[in-house]
Amino acid sequence: MKIKMHSLLQRQIKRAFGKDFDASMQDDSLVKLLDAISGSYDELYKEKRFLEHTLEMNSEELTRANIKIQEQNAELQKNLEKTSDANEEMIHMLKQYKRAIDTSLIVSVTSPDGVIKYVNDNFIKISGYSRYELLGKKHNIIRHPQNPQELFTEIWETILAKEVWQGIIPNLAKDGSTYYVNAAIVPLLNREGEIVEFMALRKDITSTIEYQKKVETQKQRVSDILDNQESIIVVLDPKEGIKEVNKKFFELFGFETLEKFLQKHRYVCELFETKEGFLRESSSDVLWLESILKEPHKVHLASIDGRIYSVKIATIDKEEELRYLATFTDITPIEEARIKSLEAEREKANFLANMSHEIRTPMNAILGFSELLAKTELDARQSKFIELIKNSSATLIQIINDILDFSKLESGHNPIELTKINPFMEFESTLMLLAGKAREKEISYMIEIDPALGECVAVDSFHIKQILTNLIGNAIKFTPSGGTVHVKIQKQGQKIRFCVEDSGIGIPKERQQKIFEPFSQADSSTTRKFGGTGLGLSISNTLVTLMQSKLELESKEGVGSKFYFDVAYSVCDSKSTLKEHLRDFSLYLFGMDAKSHENLASQLNAYGIAWSTLEAYSKEADKSNAIIIAKNEEMTDAFCEAKILFLGTEGKTKEDVRHHHIEVFEEFPSILYNELMRLELIKTEIKEIKKSLQMRVLAAEDYEINRLLLSELLMSFGVTYDFALNGQEAVEKAKANHYDLILMDVNMPVMNGIEATRILIQELHIKTPIVALTANALEGDREKFLSLGMADYLTKPIDTKALEAVLSRYAVAQLQSQKMTMDIKASLEKSREKMRFSEAIMQKVFISFVSSLETLEQNMRDGWEQREFSKIHMSAHNLKSGAASLCFDTLSKISAEIEAAAKREDENFDFLGKFQEILPYLDAIKEFKATLG
């Protein structure tokens, strides 16, 4: 049977059965089989061609997909590389974090049941355990026994609730020591939120805890100390008020706790009782605290529940937290004793005042009449008796003064008060006071004031003069005839040394400290031989100590003594210098020997004064503004205009307007300064005054003998006078009459001098100068009298020279006032002629000007006090303009200076000094206006 066979099947049969194999020759069953196989091959090839066609159709799409897959693989590779880098960076940072934590903190990791799995080096170091001893152990290996079980219950409850626990706990190290940590225990969770570990981070705070314990211990110790104080202690916050009080506060004020006090009171000061001179209740504690802080050295008192407390405040400024520590000390017994002491002191002072008055009043008569009697014709015997009376009286006065001074010092009533002085002028009277006694004993009395001191220093001149008087008096007293007393006032750096050296009897070494004790002298025979109370050196020593110095002594028995002390001083600006004083003068040295020439040149150069030497008369030097210093009176006869100062005693050339004598230049070289300063003041008007003081005086004096003495003294000065027997009479006479001066005794019947002065000044507004005339000589009297408005102060027994000086001063003032009145008249006449006004119109203009003065003057003063320069400027401008219109040239000139300084707001300008300078002009203008009616 012939069959159609697939070509692939034919090839396969021929290879298997040979070329000659013929399928058709085979039996039917084989043929069918081969036919069936051939059919399968056909189907297979059909499928293959279909698949090939399908593959051919999808090959491009598969290629594109493959390319896309390759690109995505490449991108994934890049991302994988980036992720790997980031993971490595994160791992690196995590390692650094771990390092930082391990370096600064104590770290441990435990399993959920508390078994230690990890500890860092800090944990090992602080606990003292090794890593081997810790790993696999329960964490309670470092548990401290003082920690209560409740603490660990709280910890476990917190961390098992998957929350962080934080707190401060003590741990126990291996060696048994305690260390403190600030701990944070953090639960670590897996993805399912289950706890897998606990990490504990701890900070070592052992030093902080120990410091806090020390602070608490110290605080408790301070609290215990405060609670055991007898004083009340209150700690206050300036904003929040009372913060703390001690136990004494509760005991004395009856409060159980601070809270209960604050329920009733807001401030401590609400407890204060109102009393004069005591702390007062205020609207806040800050106000009364500030009143104490402003005057920390003052004693501040508070009255609470009838008790008196001394209150002190200490400021505590710690860590920008301001607190005040107030201490209330009960001083009721002390204060009561002080009040009694003050009463006793007042009684003592009254006794001393009365004693002084009772003794000085008759002594005033004795001394005064002795001086008057000495001026009459007496024989030698009578003169000797008068001299004995004067010397004995002076000794008695000195004893009284010593007793009064000692009493003041003993009571602590002699405060040191600095005043600005010119040392050359200030100490002259004190240094020359005892020169007469030195001459009487033929003692060489030398005085040396260092020109380098300057012309203005601030020292306690009052007490220094008192000390010098004691030291110089003793030096002259204990120096025999022919001896020397040398007084030196020298600059020693920032101090002045006052030294008194003598060639007297000296003091034995064993007695040198004893003599500074009250009522003590070198030995008992000294008192009998030389007299005195033995109080002078004690008083001087105490005064020097009050000036923060020491009275030093160098002495050798039979050779002499040297007392000296150093006083601190400050330099001040002198308003009047010798150089300025002699600015318009030419000064010449004429006919001097070499030594005198050298001494004069040294003095003048030290004061910066220009001078020239004259060998013979010079017409150029013979002018009214020339000063000739000479020794030989005859050599100066040719000079007609120049003022001449002679070194030596008065000879044939008598004292007058042009001729003056310096008698003690050789012994007291610096007196040249004083004489030159006084030279321009020695004018004809003063000389005339000394001959006859043209003034009217009212003397209020109740003691008949004193009135008799005053009448003799006032008549000797050519003074017209009236007497008043008491204060009331003095007031009536002062109202009814015009006086140039009132001498007012303080202790008088009916009305005393103090009350009379008050009425005259405060009620009647009388401008007449009032000078206190009293036998009282207690400390504070002068200040008291001057504060009342009195112009000056004289003590009894009346010193004739002191009285003359007071009378001369106010006589000169009277002359100056009269001269100023004449100048006002001349100025108004000049203004009238200039403006061509009638007298009536001129008078109206003048009165209008005067009516504005009080307001202008007050505005200038107010402007200075308030530093309102515009107010000063406007007032000074108006005053200048008005004064210029009326031809008051001096007033206009000073006002212009004030105006200019105010315009430039010059705080260094002496406004007060200039105000004071124009006052006499304003007063004279007002007084002149009063005469017009």
Side-chain angles (χ1 to χ4, degrees), residues 772-824:
L773 186 64
T774 177
N776 289 342
L778 297 177
E779 188 257 328
D781 283 346
R782 184 176 187 278
E783 292 75 11
K784 180 174 69 177
F785 297 145
L786 294 182
S787 69
L788 291 170
M790 289 182 168
D792 220 323
Y793 172 83
L794 286 172
T795 58
K796 300 175 184 177
I798 297 172
D799 183 284
T800 307
K801 290 184 179 179
L803 177 61
E804 182 184 7
V806 168
L807 293 172
S808 298
R809 187 182 310 132
Y810 292 104
V812 171
Q814 180 65 18
L815 281 177
Q816 290 174 340
S817 176
Q818 291 171 2
K819 182 177 182 299
M820 205 173 284
T821 300
M822 294 174 64
D823 290 343
I824 292 170

Side-chain angles (χ1 to χ4, degrees), residues 132-398:
Y132 173 77
E133 291 174 302
L134 291 169
L135 296 178
K137 303 293 192 301
K138 286 282 188 176
H139 209 287
N140 59 14
I141 190 174
I142 58 169
R143 179 183 293 185
H144 199 286
Q146 78 177 42
N147 292 324
Q149 182 57 44
E150 291 77 14
L151 173 64
F152 296 103
T153 302
E154 176 196 333
I155 293 173
W156 278 109
E157 286 177 352
T158 303
I159 61 179
L160 289 175
K162 301 176 184 179
E163 294 178 359
V164 177
W165 181 89
Q166 284 184 295
I168 295 173
I169 55 174
N171 288 154
L172 191 66
K174 183 179 179 180
D175 61 5
S177 62
T178 301
Y179 63 94
Y180 293 85
V181 293
N182 189 347
I185 303 175
V186 184
L188 302 180
L189 312 179
N190 60 17
R191 290 182 180 180
E192 287 73 30
E194 297 170 342
I195 297 173
V196 293
E197 289 178 333
F198 294 113
M199 178 180 283
L201 304 175
R202 301 175 183 83
K203 178 72 176 175
D204 181 13
I205 58 168
T206 306
S207 58
T208 304
I209 296 295
E210 289 176 350
Y211 174 76
Q212 288 177 348
K213 285 185 175 182
K214 286 180 181 178
V215 169
E216 289 298 322
T217 302
Q218 188 67 23
K219 187 176 179 182
Q220 185 59 47
R221 188 178 294 119
V222 170
S223 181
D224 292 341
I225 292 171
L226 294 180
D227 283 341
N228 284 283
Q229 292 292 307
E230 287 301 314
S231 299
I232 296 167
I233 310 293
V234 181
V235 179
L236 302 114
D237 183 285
K239 295 179 180 178
E240 299 176 13
I242 302 173
K243 301 296 290 184
E244 190 177 348
V245 296
N246 68 342
K247 190 165 69 173
K248 203 71 178 179
F249 179 93
F250 301 121
E251 291 176 0
L252 293 179
F253 296 154
F255 294 95
E256 294 180 3
T257 63
L258 181 58
E259 288 70 24
K260 289 189 176 181
F261 171 81
L262 293 173
Q263 288 173 4
K264 190 174 181 181
H265 301 283
R266 188 176 179 186
Y267 304 114
V268 174
C269 60
E270 292 177 10
L271 299 174
F272 297 170
E273 296 165 344
T274 303
K275 280 189 179 181
E276 186 66 31
F278 283 64
L279 293 170
R280 295 177 176 272
E281 180 182 348
S282 57
S283 57
S284 74
D285 277 330
V286 174
L287 296 177
W288 70 269
L289 287 170
E290 286 179 349
S291 67
I292 297 177
L293 293 170
K294 284 177 182 176
E295 298 178 287
H297 303 297
K298 179 183 173 183
V299 176
H300 298 271
L301 302 178
S303 177
I304 305 174
D305 291 341
R307 306 292 292 179
I308 298 172
Y309 295 88
S310 170
V311 186
K312 291 185 178 181
I313 302 295
T315 303
I316 305 169
D317 193 353
K318 187 178 180 182
E319 296 177 357
E320 300 182 356
E321 186 180 81
L322 182 63
R323 295 285 174 89
Y324 296 112
L325 185 75
T327 306
F328 294 77
T329 304
D330 191 342
I331 59 166
T332 306
I334 298 172
E335 186 64 13
E336 289 173 350
R338 188 184 71 84
I339 292 170
K340 289 180 181 178
S341 174
L342 287 175
E343 290 173 355
E345 201 64 46
R346 278 193 290 270
E347 291 176 5
K348 177 182 173 183
N350 289 334
F351 168 75
L352 289 172
N354 291 332
M355 182 198 75
S356 171
H357 185 271
E358 294 301 322
I359 295 176
R360 285 174 183 270
T361 299
M363 284 305 301
N364 179 45
I366 294 170
L367 278 173
F369 284 114
S370 296
E371 285 191 17
L372 292 174
L373 194 57
K375 295 176 182 177
T376 63
E377 293 185 11
L378 300 171
D379 59 32
R381 188 162 174 266
Q382 290 170 328
S383 296
K384 183 179 179 181
F385 290 161
I386 290 296
E387 193 63 28
L388 285 171
I389 291 171
K390 286 172 64 180
N391 289 341
S392 298
S393 299
T395 301
L396 181 57
I397 288 296
Q398 185 57 49

